[in-house]
Amino acid sequence: MRKNLVRVLCVISVLLAVTALAFTACAPMERNVTGFAMGSSFSVDYSFSSDLSQDIRSLLAEIEESFSATFDPSCVSRINQAEAGVSVSLSEEEFFALTRAFSLAEETENAFDPAILPLVKAWGFDPPYLYNGKIPPSSETRASAMLLSDPALFSLDEASFSISKSNDGAKLDLGGAMKGYAAEKVRDLLLEKGVSSALVNVGRTIAAVGEDVPIGVAPPRESAEDYILSFVLKEGEICATSGDYERNYESDGVLYHHILDVSTGAPASSDLIAATVISKDGMLADAYATAAVVFGSEKATALLRAAGARAILITREKKLILCDVEVKIKDASYVIAA
Ligand code: ADP
Ligand code: MG
C-alpha cells in the first residue's frame, strides 16, 4: 500500500514537472533582435514563445541581397550592370517587388522614381554617403542624368520573370521604398509565426504588429524636444518618414538634400520638409513619403487621400497638414494648418 502511494506520488511529480516544462516552453517572452540592414540599423521587439531572431535576420539579409544596388549579385546590381536589350532573370519575389515599384512610380507621376540612380550619383548621394567637399553637378551632367533616370527605360516581362532596359546608363535605386517593403515582410513573417505583439523598426520605418503603438516624429529642424509630436500607429500599419534633413551637404552656402525631383533634376524644393505616411502597405508608405516631399502639400494631399493613406506633412513654416491622423504636439513651434 505504502509502496503504491510512493509510486503514485512519483508519477504525479513527474507529470507536474513535464507540465511546468511544457508551460515554460510555450509561455511568451519579451524578445529583441537588432542589427544592420538596408544601410540602416533595424530593431524588432516581440513577445513570443520561441526565438525568431534567425528568421528575421535571414529575411532582411535576403531582401538586401536581392535589392541592394551595392551588393554585386543582387538583381538590382545585375540590372544596373547589364547592357541595353539584355534580359535579366528575376525570382518571382523580385519580379513582383519591382513591378510594384514601377507602379508606385506611375501612381506618383515619377515623383517616386525607382530608376533615379543616375541622378542620385550625379548629386553624390549614393553610398558610401561621404559629403565632405561635395559640389552640385554641372547643368550638362544634371540634364543627362535626368534623361537616364526614367522608369520608362525599363521593361518587365511577366512571361519570363525578367527585366531589361533600353539604355546602358539606366540604373535602379530602390532605397526610397525598400525599408517599407522590408518592414512589411517582417510584419508578415511575425504574423505567420503567430506573434501577437511586436514593434518592427527598419531604419525608422515602423510596423505595429498586434496592437496600437504611440510613435514620436523626429524633429525635422532644430528642436529642444526629442520628438515634435506623437500619433498612434494602429495594429498592422506601417509608417515611413522622408525629410530633407536626413542626408545633405552644403556647398557655397546652399544646402542640397538627398530627395531628388526627376522633373527638375535637383533636390526637391516643395513647401514640405518632411512627410510621414501611414499605410498597411509598407512599400506604398515609404514611396509615398518620398513622393510627398517632391510633390509638396497640395499634390501630396490629393495623392494620399486617393490612396486612402494617412499622413503627417510638415511645411517649411512648421505647419502640420494632417490626413486622417490625430496628433499630440510636443514642440509648440509646430502648428496644425487651418
Ligand atoms: P531614407 O533616407 O529614409 O531612405 P527615403 O525613403 O526618402 O528616405 O529615400 C531616399 C533615398 O531614395 C535617397 O537616398 C535616394 O537613394 C533615393 N531617392 C532620392 N530621391 C528619390 C525619388 N524622387 N524617388 C525615389 N527614390 C529617391
Ligand atoms: Mg521613401
Side-chain angles (χ1 to χ4, degrees):
M1 178 72 189
R2 200 180 161 77
K3 220 172 175 184
N4 272 348
L5 184 66
V6 169
R7 207 173 283 150
V8 168
L9 282 176
C10 280
V11 170
I12 289 172
S13 41
V14 168
L15 277 176
L16 281 176
V18 169
T19 316
L21 252 179
F23 186 74
T24 318
C26 292
M29 256 177 72
E30 296 300 320
R31 300 174 188 272
N32 170 261
V33 50
T34 55
F36 203 74
M38 337 264 136
S40 300
S41 51
F42 74 84
S43 158
V44 182
D45 293 297
Y46 62 104
S47 174
F48 200 52
S49 50
S50 59
D51 181 5
L52 298 175
S53 57
Q54 210 36 54
D55 304 68
I56 295 166
R57 282 184 201 288
S58 313
L59 174 62
L60 288 171
E62 240 171 66
I63 296 172
E64 182 143 29
E65 281 162 22
S66 279
F67 302 106
S68 160
T70 52
F71 179 70
D72 249 357
S74 79
C75 78
V76 166
S77 275
R78 285 184 290 120
I79 298 159
N80 290 353
Q81 286 162 24
E83 285 175 15
V86 173
S87 282
V88 173
S89 55
L90 304 168
S91 69
E92 202 173 321
E93 176 105 18
E94 290 166 347
F95 180 83
F96 288 115
L98 290 182
T99 304
R100 184 90 188 95
F102 282 101
S103 59
L104 288 163
E106 223 172 284
E107 288 163 33
T108 62
E109 298 165 23
N110 294 348
F112 165 74
D113 177 0
I116 205 157
L117 192 60
L119 205 52
V120 168
K121 278 183 181 285
W123 281 90
F125 286 115
D126 51 323
Y129 310 123
L130 301 172
Y131 303 126
N132 225 347
K134 277 265 152 78
I135 51 162
S138 66
S139 50
E140 295 76 32
T141 308
R142 187 168 138 179
S144 62
M146 265 168 86
L147 291 176
L148 286 174
S149 297
D150 183 356
L153 297 173
F154 291 85
S155 46
L156 282 150
D157 178 29
E158 188 162 8
S160 58
F161 278 168
S162 66
I163 185 168
S164 60
K165 59 192 191 187
S166 57
N167 189 308
D168 289 346
K171 292 177 201 298
L172 299 177
D173 172 2
L174 296 180
M178 286 328 287
K179 283 183 241 167
Y181 179 77
E184 179 183 314
K185 291 284 168 186
V186 174
R187 175 200 65 194
D188 294 348
L189 167 80
L190 297 174
L191 288 174
E192 204 177 283
K193 295 279 181 190
V195 171
S196 55
S197 149
L199 188 68
V200 179
N201 182 344
V202 184
R204 289 165 294 101
T205 299
I206 298 164
V209 180
E211 58 191 5
D212 299 354
V213 224
I215 301 286
V217 170
R221 293 291 183 263
E222 283 287 303
S223 172
E225 308 292 350
D226 50 350
Y227 61 91
I228 59 162
L229 59 87
S230 64
F231 70 96
V232 174
L233 187 65
K234 296 179 193 159
E235 72 85 13
E237 285 184 331
I238 293 169
C239 69
T241 298
S242 285
D244 66 359
Y245 56 97
E246 296 283 0
R247 269 186 253 138
N248 48 42
Y249 61 85
E250 201 178 304
S251 170
D252 276 341
V254 182
L255 198 69
Y256 299 98
H257 67 88
H258 76 314
I259 299 176
L260 303 172
D261 180 346
V262 76
S263 72
T264 61
S269 56
S270 74
D271 61 338
L272 295 181
I273 55 169
T276 296
V277 176
I278 307 155
S279 167
K280 291 213 165 172
D281 180 333
M283 204 168 177
L284 180 146
D286 198 352
Y288 276 34
T290 306
V293 174
V294 172
F295 268 164
S297 58
E298 213 178 300
K299 226 169 157 182
T301 310
L303 174 82
L304 292 158
R305 295 234 153 98
R310 309 200 297 138
I312 301 161
L313 309 177
I314 306 175
T315 72
R316 285 177 201 285
E317 284 74 41
K318 297 188 167 181
K319 290 264 179 328
L320 303 169
I321 297 158
L322 307 176
C323 302
D324 202 16
V325 191
E326 273 177 33
V327 299
K328 253 194 220 155
I329 295 174
K330 193 172 181 209
D331 177 337
S333 64
Y334 290 83
V335 177
I336 297 174

mmCIF file of all heavy atoms in Angstrom, residues 40 110-117 120 125-126 129 173-177 179 203-205 240-243 246-247 258-262 286-287 289-291 294, ligand 1:
data_model
loop_
_atom_site.group_PDB
_atom_site.id
_atom_site.type_symbol
_atom_site.label_atom_id
_atom_site.label_comp_id
_atom_site.label_asym_id
_atom_site.label_seq_id
_atom_site.Cartn_x
_atom_site.Cartn_y
_atom_site.Cartn_z
ATOM 1 N N SER A 40 20.855 50.875 -42.788
ATOM 2 C CA SER A 40 20.409 51.449 -41.507
ATOM 3 C C SER A 40 20.366 50.359 -40.459
ATOM 4 O O SER A 40 20.433 49.178 -40.784
ATOM 5 C CB SER A 40 18.982 51.967 -41.602
ATOM 6 O OG SER A 40 18.862 52.947 -42.559
ATOM 7 N N ASN A 110 6.142 59.646 -61.300
ATOM 8 C CA ASN A 110 7.606 59.575 -61.131
ATOM 9 C C ASN A 110 8.170 60.471 -60.027
ATOM 10 O O ASN A 110 9.384 60.674 -59.958
ATOM 11 C CB ASN A 110 8.364 59.852 -62.439
ATOM 12 C CG ASN A 110 8.113 58.778 -63.477
ATOM 13 O OD1 ASN A 110 7.563 57.736 -63.174
ATOM 14 N ND2 ASN A 110 8.506 59.041 -64.713
ATOM 15 N N ALA A 111 7.287 61.035 -59.174
ATOM 16 C CA ALA A 111 7.825 61.761 -58.006
ATOM 17 C C ALA A 111 8.578 60.746 -57.150
ATOM 18 O O ALA A 111 9.643 61.039 -56.599
ATOM 19 C CB ALA A 111 6.702 62.409 -57.214
ATOM 20 N N PHE A 112 8.033 59.520 -57.032
ATOM 21 C CA PHE A 112 8.833 58.392 -56.526
ATOM 22 C C PHE A 112 9.356 57.705 -57.782
ATOM 23 O O PHE A 112 8.587 57.211 -58.601
ATOM 24 C CB PHE A 112 8.001 57.399 -55.704
ATOM 25 C CG PHE A 112 8.731 56.089 -55.518
ATOM 26 C CD1 PHE A 112 9.807 56.009 -54.644
ATOM 27 C CD2 PHE A 112 8.398 54.958 -56.264
ATOM 28 C CE1 PHE A 112 10.529 54.821 -54.512
ATOM 29 C CE2 PHE A 112 9.107 53.773 -56.123
ATOM 30 C CZ PHE A 112 10.176 53.709 -55.251
ATOM 31 N N ASP A 113 10.679 57.723 -57.949
ATOM 32 C CA ASP A 113 11.275 57.215 -59.179
ATOM 33 C C ASP A 113 12.299 56.118 -58.853
ATOM 34 O O ASP A 113 13.400 56.407 -58.384
ATOM 35 C CB ASP A 113 11.945 58.401 -59.900
ATOM 36 C CG ASP A 113 12.666 57.962 -61.162
ATOM 37 O OD1 ASP A 113 12.643 56.755 -61.478
ATOM 38 O OD2 ASP A 113 13.261 58.835 -61.823
ATOM 39 N N PRO A 114 11.937 54.840 -59.085
ATOM 40 C CA PRO A 114 12.868 53.751 -58.742
ATOM 41 C C PRO A 114 14.075 53.685 -59.687
ATOM 42 O O PRO A 114 15.004 52.921 -59.425
ATOM 43 C CB PRO A 114 11.992 52.498 -58.885
ATOM 44 C CG PRO A 114 10.906 52.879 -59.830
ATOM 45 C CD PRO A 114 10.659 54.343 -59.645
ATOM 46 N N ALA A 115 14.055 54.504 -60.752
ATOM 47 C CA ALA A 115 15.164 54.476 -61.722
ATOM 48 C C ALA A 115 16.061 55.701 -61.541
ATOM 49 O O ALA A 115 16.727 56.150 -62.478
ATOM 50 C CB ALA A 115 14.585 54.438 -63.140
ATOM 51 N N ILE A 116 16.093 56.232 -60.321
ATOM 52 C CA ILE A 116 16.731 57.533 -60.091
ATOM 53 C C ILE A 116 18.243 57.479 -59.839
ATOM 54 O O ILE A 116 18.890 58.517 -59.643
ATOM 55 C CB ILE A 116 15.992 58.280 -58.941
ATOM 56 C CG1 ILE A 116 16.184 59.797 -59.083
ATOM 57 C CG2 ILE A 116 16.418 57.758 -57.581
ATOM 58 C CD1 ILE A 116 15.137 60.626 -58.407
ATOM 59 N N LEU A 117 18.854 56.288 -59.884
ATOM 60 C CA LEU A 117 20.278 56.194 -59.524
ATOM 61 C C LEU A 117 21.201 57.149 -60.312
ATOM 62 O O LEU A 117 22.090 57.758 -59.706
ATOM 63 C CB LEU A 117 20.781 54.749 -59.612
ATOM 64 C CG LEU A 117 22.157 54.529 -58.994
ATOM 65 C CD1 LEU A 117 22.199 54.865 -57.514
ATOM 66 C CD2 LEU A 117 22.638 53.086 -59.189
ATOM 67 N N VAL A 120 20.926 60.378 -58.561
ATOM 68 C CA VAL A 120 21.463 60.255 -57.194
ATOM 69 C C VAL A 120 22.999 60.288 -57.247
ATOM 70 O O VAL A 120 23.647 60.974 -56.451
ATOM 71 C CB VAL A 120 20.950 58.949 -56.528
ATOM 72 C CG1 VAL A 120 21.695 58.645 -55.238
ATOM 73 C CG2 VAL A 120 19.451 59.047 -56.255
ATOM 74 N N PHE A 125 24.761 61.484 -53.859
ATOM 75 C CA PHE A 125 24.039 60.961 -52.697
ATOM 76 C C PHE A 125 24.040 59.435 -52.623
ATOM 77 O O PHE A 125 23.274 58.851 -51.861
ATOM 78 C CB PHE A 125 22.600 61.501 -52.672
ATOM 79 C CG PHE A 125 22.539 62.944 -52.257
ATOM 80 C CD1 PHE A 125 22.101 63.920 -53.140
ATOM 81 C CD2 PHE A 125 22.942 63.323 -50.988
ATOM 82 C CE1 PHE A 125 22.065 65.254 -52.760
ATOM 83 C CE2 PHE A 125 22.905 64.655 -50.599
ATOM 84 C CZ PHE A 125 22.474 65.627 -51.484
ATOM 85 N N ASP A 126 24.891 58.796 -53.429
ATOM 86 C CA ASP A 126 24.983 57.332 -53.394
ATOM 87 C C ASP A 126 25.980 56.912 -52.309
ATOM 88 O O ASP A 126 26.747 57.736 -51.814
ATOM 89 C CB ASP A 126 25.398 56.805 -54.781
ATOM 90 C CG ASP A 126 26.627 57.499 -55.324
ATOM 91 O OD1 ASP A 126 26.775 58.722 -55.100
ATOM 92 O OD2 ASP A 126 27.470 56.830 -55.938
ATOM 93 N N TYR A 129 28.016 57.594 -48.852
ATOM 94 C CA TYR A 129 27.413 58.739 -48.153
ATOM 95 C C TYR A 129 28.458 59.631 -47.466
ATOM 96 O O TYR A 129 28.303 60.008 -46.308
ATOM 97 C CB TYR A 129 26.382 58.269 -47.116
ATOM 98 C CG TYR A 129 25.365 57.286 -47.668
ATOM 99 C CD1 TYR A 129 25.197 56.024 -47.104
ATOM 100 C CD2 TYR A 129 24.558 57.621 -48.752
ATOM 101 C CE1 TYR A 129 24.272 55.115 -47.617
ATOM 102 C CE2 TYR A 129 23.631 56.713 -49.271
ATOM 103 C CZ TYR A 129 23.501 55.479 -48.686
ATOM 104 O OH TYR A 129 22.587 54.591 -49.181
ATOM 105 N N ASP A 173 17.490 52.409 -58.263
ATOM 106 C CA ASP A 173 17.809 52.682 -56.854
ATOM 107 C C ASP A 173 16.493 52.518 -56.088
ATOM 108 O O ASP A 173 15.605 53.362 -56.207
ATOM 109 C CB ASP A 173 18.338 54.116 -56.717
ATOM 110 C CG ASP A 173 18.510 54.543 -55.258
ATOM 111 O OD1 ASP A 173 18.256 53.725 -54.351
ATOM 112 O OD2 ASP A 173 18.884 55.711 -55.027
ATOM 113 N N LEU A 174 16.372 51.427 -55.348
ATOM 114 C CA LEU A 174 15.116 51.177 -54.632
ATOM 115 C C LEU A 174 15.170 51.658 -53.187
ATOM 116 O O LEU A 174 14.289 51.344 -52.380
ATOM 117 C CB LEU A 174 14.774 49.687 -54.701
ATOM 118 C CG LEU A 174 14.498 49.170 -56.116
ATOM 119 C CD1 LEU A 174 14.177 47.699 -56.099
ATOM 120 C CD2 LEU A 174 13.360 49.926 -56.775
ATOM 121 N N GLY A 175 16.223 52.440 -52.863
ATOM 122 C CA GLY A 175 16.417 52.933 -51.493
ATOM 123 C C GLY A 175 15.221 53.720 -50.967
ATOM 124 O O GLY A 175 14.999 53.777 -49.765
ATOM 125 N N GLY A 176 14.434 54.316 -51.861
ATOM 126 C CA GLY A 176 13.289 55.116 -51.430
ATOM 127 C C GLY A 176 12.081 54.284 -51.030
ATOM 128 O O GLY A 176 11.095 54.833 -50.532
ATOM 129 N N ALA A 177 12.117 52.961 -51.222
ATOM 130 C CA ALA A 177 10.940 52.137 -50.891
ATOM 131 C C ALA A 177 11.264 50.829 -50.181
ATOM 132 O O ALA A 177 10.356 50.173 -49.682
ATOM 133 C CB ALA A 177 10.146 51.835 -52.161
ATOM 134 N N LYS A 179 12.883 50.016 -47.372
ATOM 135 C CA LYS A 179 12.718 49.866 -45.922
ATOM 136 C C LYS A 179 11.250 49.590 -45.609
ATOM 137 O O LYS A 179 10.939 48.791 -44.731
ATOM 138 C CB LYS A 179 13.217 51.114 -45.194
ATOM 139 C CG LYS A 179 14.737 51.132 -45.137
ATOM 140 C CD LYS A 179 15.229 52.317 -44.373
ATOM 141 C CE LYS A 179 16.052 53.166 -45.270
ATOM 142 N NZ LYS A 179 16.354 54.468 -44.775
ATOM 143 N N GLY A 203 15.266 51.062 -40.054
ATOM 144 C CA GLY A 203 15.710 52.412 -40.428
ATOM 145 C C GLY A 203 14.627 53.451 -40.243
ATOM 146 O O GLY A 203 14.401 54.283 -41.122
ATOM 147 N N ARG A 204 13.949 53.422 -39.135
ATOM 148 C CA ARG A 204 12.886 54.355 -38.762
ATOM 149 C C ARG A 204 11.600 54.179 -39.588
ATOM 150 O O ARG A 204 10.719 55.018 -39.541
ATOM 151 C CB ARG A 204 13.357 55.818 -38.840
ATOM 152 C CG ARG A 204 14.355 56.201 -37.740
ATOM 153 C CD ARG A 204 15.079 57.486 -38.023
ATOM 154 N NE ARG A 204 15.945 57.368 -39.172
ATOM 155 C CZ ARG A 204 15.650 57.824 -40.369
ATOM 156 N NH1 ARG A 204 14.537 58.470 -40.565
ATOM 157 N NH2 ARG A 204 16.492 57.656 -41.361
ATOM 158 N N THR A 205 11.507 53.098 -40.325
ATOM 159 C CA THR A 205 10.228 52.735 -40.937
ATOM 160 C C THR A 205 9.642 51.673 -40.011
ATOM 161 O O THR A 205 10.280 50.644 -39.777
ATOM 162 C CB THR A 205 10.456 52.201 -42.361
ATOM 163 O OG1 THR A 205 11.055 53.251 -43.116
ATOM 164 C CG2 THR A 205 9.155 51.789 -43.020
ATOM 165 N N ALA A 240 6.313 55.467 -42.611
ATOM 166 C CA ALA A 240 7.629 55.793 -43.168
ATOM 167 C C ALA A 240 7.772 57.302 -43.208
ATOM 168 O O ALA A 240 6.803 58.013 -43.503
ATOM 169 C CB ALA A 240 7.743 55.231 -44.578
ATOM 170 N N THR A 241 8.971 57.775 -42.899
ATOM 171 C CA THR A 241 9.207 59.219 -42.899
ATOM 172 C C THR A 241 10.331 59.579 -43.866
ATOM 173 O O THR A 241 11.365 58.926 -43.884
ATOM 174 C CB THR A 241 9.566 59.696 -41.474
ATOM 175 O OG1 THR A 241 8.457 59.419 -40.614
ATOM 176 C CG2 THR A 241 9.868 61.188 -41.432
ATOM 177 N N SER A 242 10.101 60.609 -44.673
ATOM 178 C CA SER A 242 11.154 61.159 -45.534
ATOM 179 C C SER A 242 11.310 62.619 -45.174
ATOM 180 O O SER A 242 10.314 63.289 -44.866
ATOM 181 C CB SER A 242 10.746 61.089 -47.005
ATOM 182 O OG SER A 242 10.837 59.786 -47.461
ATOM 183 N N GLY A 243 12.546 63.110 -45.235
ATOM 184 C CA GLY A 243 12.739 64.520 -44.929
ATOM 185 C C GLY A 243 14.020 65.045 -45.547
ATOM 186 O O GLY A 243 14.945 64.276 -45.810
ATOM 187 N N GLU A 246 17.568 64.429 -43.641
ATOM 188 C CA GLU A 246 18.175 63.114 -43.396
ATOM 189 C C GLU A 246 19.620 63.028 -43.884
ATOM 190 O O GLU A 246 20.500 62.562 -43.177
ATOM 191 C CB GLU A 246 17.355 62.009 -44.084
ATOM 192 C CG GLU A 246 15.953 61.853 -43.546
ATOM 193 C CD GLU A 246 15.906 61.114 -42.218
ATOM 194 O OE1 GLU A 246 16.976 60.730 -41.727
ATOM 195 O OE2 GLU A 246 14.799 60.947 -41.691
ATOM 196 N N ARG A 247 19.821 63.431 -45.147
ATOM 197 C CA ARG A 247 21.178 63.419 -45.711
ATOM 198 C C ARG A 247 21.319 64.641 -46.584
ATOM 199 O O ARG A 247 20.479 64.872 -47.468
ATOM 200 C CB ARG A 247 21.385 62.160 -46.582
ATOM 201 C CG ARG A 247 21.954 61.008 -45.796
ATOM 202 C CD ARG A 247 22.283 59.849 -46.681
ATOM 203 N NE ARG A 247 21.326 58.794 -46.484
ATOM 204 C CZ ARG A 247 20.791 58.069 -47.443
ATOM 205 N NH1 ARG A 247 21.116 58.315 -48.683
ATOM 206 N NH2 ARG A 247 19.954 57.116 -47.184
ATOM 207 N N HIS A 258 18.988 64.914 -50.170
ATOM 208 C CA HIS A 258 19.009 63.663 -50.952
ATOM 209 C C HIS A 258 17.695 63.243 -51.608
ATOM 210 O O HIS A 258 17.656 62.232 -52.285
ATOM 211 C CB HIS A 258 19.510 62.529 -50.049
ATOM 212 C CG HIS A 258 18.494 62.033 -49.057
ATOM 213 N ND1 HIS A 258 17.712 62.874 -48.290
ATOM 214 C CD2 HIS A 258 18.125 60.796 -48.700
ATOM 215 C CE1 HIS A 258 16.918 62.157 -47.516
ATOM 216 N NE2 HIS A 258 17.154 60.894 -47.749
ATOM 217 N N ILE A 259 16.617 64.009 -51.407
ATOM 218 C CA ILE A 259 15.373 63.628 -52.087
ATOM 219 C C ILE A 259 15.289 64.453 -53.368
ATOM 220 O O ILE A 259 15.177 65.680 -53.328
ATOM 221 C CB ILE A 259 14.145 63.838 -51.179
ATOM 222 C CG1 ILE A 259 14.324 62.940 -49.939
ATOM 223 C CG2 ILE A 259 12.849 63.496 -51.917
ATOM 224 C CD1 ILE A 259 13.258 63.092 -48.899
ATOM 225 N N LEU A 260 15.404 63.764 -54.491
ATOM 226 C CA LEU A 260 15.568 64.453 -55.763
ATOM 227 C C LEU A 260 14.273 64.445 -56.569
ATOM 228 O O LEU A 260 13.489 63.493 -56.486
ATOM 229 C CB LEU A 260 16.701 63.791 -56.552
ATOM 230 C CG LEU A 260 18.044 63.759 -55.804
ATOM 231 C CD1 LEU A 260 19.065 62.912 -56.548
ATOM 232 C CD2 LEU A 260 18.584 65.173 -55.575
ATOM 233 N N ASP A 261 14.101 65.509 -57.330
ATOM 234 C CA ASP A 261 12.916 65.658 -58.165
ATOM 235 C C ASP A 261 13.358 65.435 -59.603
ATOM 236 O O ASP A 261 14.065 66.262 -60.186
ATOM 237 C CB ASP A 261 12.360 67.080 -57.959
ATOM 238 C CG ASP A 261 11.108 67.326 -58.788
ATOM 239 O OD1 ASP A 261 10.823 66.523 -59.701
ATOM 240 O OD2 ASP A 261 10.426 68.336 -58.520
ATOM 241 N N VAL A 262 12.930 64.307 -60.184
ATOM 242 C CA VAL A 262 13.415 63.962 -61.522
ATOM 243 C C VAL A 262 12.901 64.946 -62.574
ATOM 244 O O VAL A 262 13.482 65.087 -63.646
ATOM 245 C CB VAL A 262 13.069 62.478 -61.856
ATOM 246 C CG1 VAL A 262 11.605 62.316 -62.212
ATOM 247 C CG2 VAL A 262 13.977 61.925 -62.944
ATOM 248 N N ASP A 286 6.448 54.055 -47.776
ATOM 249 C CA ASP A 286 7.811 54.554 -47.993
ATOM 250 C C ASP A 286 7.913 55.371 -49.295
ATOM 251 O O ASP A 286 8.425 56.498 -49.307
ATOM 252 C CB ASP A 286 8.768 53.345 -48.023
ATOM 253 C CG ASP A 286 10.210 53.744 -47.801
ATOM 254 O OD1 ASP A 286 10.497 54.956 -47.779
ATOM 255 O OD2 ASP A 286 11.059 52.848 -47.670
ATOM 256 N N ALA A 287 7.379 54.816 -50.383
ATOM 257 C CA ALA A 287 7.467 55.511 -51.686
ATOM 258 C C ALA A 287 6.665 56.810 -51.659
ATOM 259 O O ALA A 287 7.114 57.837 -52.181
ATOM 260 C CB ALA A 287 6.944 54.594 -52.789
ATOM 261 N N ALA A 289 6.000 58.651 -49.053
ATOM 262 C CA ALA A 289 6.648 59.650 -48.189
ATOM 263 C C ALA A 289 7.701 60.402 -49.005
ATOM 264 O O ALA A 289 7.798 61.637 -48.925
ATOM 265 C CB ALA A 289 7.278 58.972 -46.975
ATOM 266 N N THR A 290 8.464 59.667 -49.809
ATOM 267 C CA THR A 290 9.460 60.302 -50.682
ATOM 268 C C THR A 290 8.739 61.198 -51.701
ATOM 269 O O THR A 290 9.111 62.362 -51.897
ATOM 270 C CB THR A 290 10.295 59.214 -51.400
ATOM 271 O OG1 THR A 290 10.832 58.329 -50.414
ATOM 272 C CG2 THR A 290 11.420 59.818 -52.218
ATOM 273 N N ALA A 291 7.690 60.651 -52.327
ATOM 274 C CA ALA A 291 6.950 61.399 -53.356
ATOM 275 C C ALA A 291 6.306 62.657 -52.779
ATOM 276 O O ALA A 291 6.261 63.701 -53.444
ATOM 277 C CB ALA A 291 5.881 60.510 -53.975
ATOM 278 N N VAL A 294 8.608 65.534 -52.670
ATOM 279 C CA VAL A 294 8.815 66.052 -54.035
ATOM 280 C C VAL A 294 7.586 66.867 -54.469
ATOM 281 O O VAL A 294 7.719 67.986 -54.974
ATOM 282 C CB VAL A 294 9.056 64.883 -55.037
ATOM 283 C CG1 VAL A 294 9.070 65.379 -56.476
ATOM 284 C CG2 VAL A 294 10.351 64.151 -54.691
HETATM 285 P P1 ADP B 1 15.565 57.419 -46.373
HETATM 286 O O1 ADP B 1 16.777 58.284 -46.405
HETATM 287 O O2 ADP B 1 14.993 57.254 -45.013
HETATM 288 O O3 ADP B 1 15.715 56.118 -47.107
HETATM 289 P P2 ADP B 1 13.668 57.965 -48.456
HETATM 290 O O4 ADP B 1 12.753 56.805 -48.291
HETATM 291 O O5 ADP B 1 13.007 59.249 -48.829
HETATM 292 O O6 ADP B 1 14.486 58.256 -47.166
HETATM 293 O O7 ADP B 1 14.706 57.540 -49.569
HETATM 294 C C1 ADP B 1 15.659 58.429 -50.042
HETATM 295 C C2 ADP B 1 16.605 57.668 -50.922
HETATM 296 O O8 ADP B 1 15.904 57.240 -52.085
HETATM 297 C C3 ADP B 1 17.731 58.563 -51.442
HETATM 298 O O9 ADP B 1 18.870 58.440 -50.665
HETATM 299 C C4 ADP B 1 17.950 58.057 -52.853
HETATM 300 O O10 ADP B 1 18.781 56.918 -52.832
HETATM 301 C C5 ADP B 1 16.573 57.639 -53.271
HETATM 302 N N1 ADP B 1 15.780 58.746 -53.854
HETATM 303 C C6 ADP B 1 16.025 60.080 -53.852
HETATM 304 N N2 ADP B 1 15.040 60.756 -54.479
HETATM 305 C C7 ADP B 1 14.147 59.810 -54.879
HETATM 306 C C8 ADP B 1 12.933 59.858 -55.605
HETATM 307 N N3 ADP B 1 12.408 61.003 -56.025
HETATM 308 N N4 ADP B 1 12.298 58.684 -55.851
HETATM 309 C C9 ADP B 1 12.806 57.505 -55.430
HETATM 310 N N5 ADP B 1 13.934 57.388 -54.760
HETATM 311 C C10 ADP B 1 14.612 58.523 -54.480
#
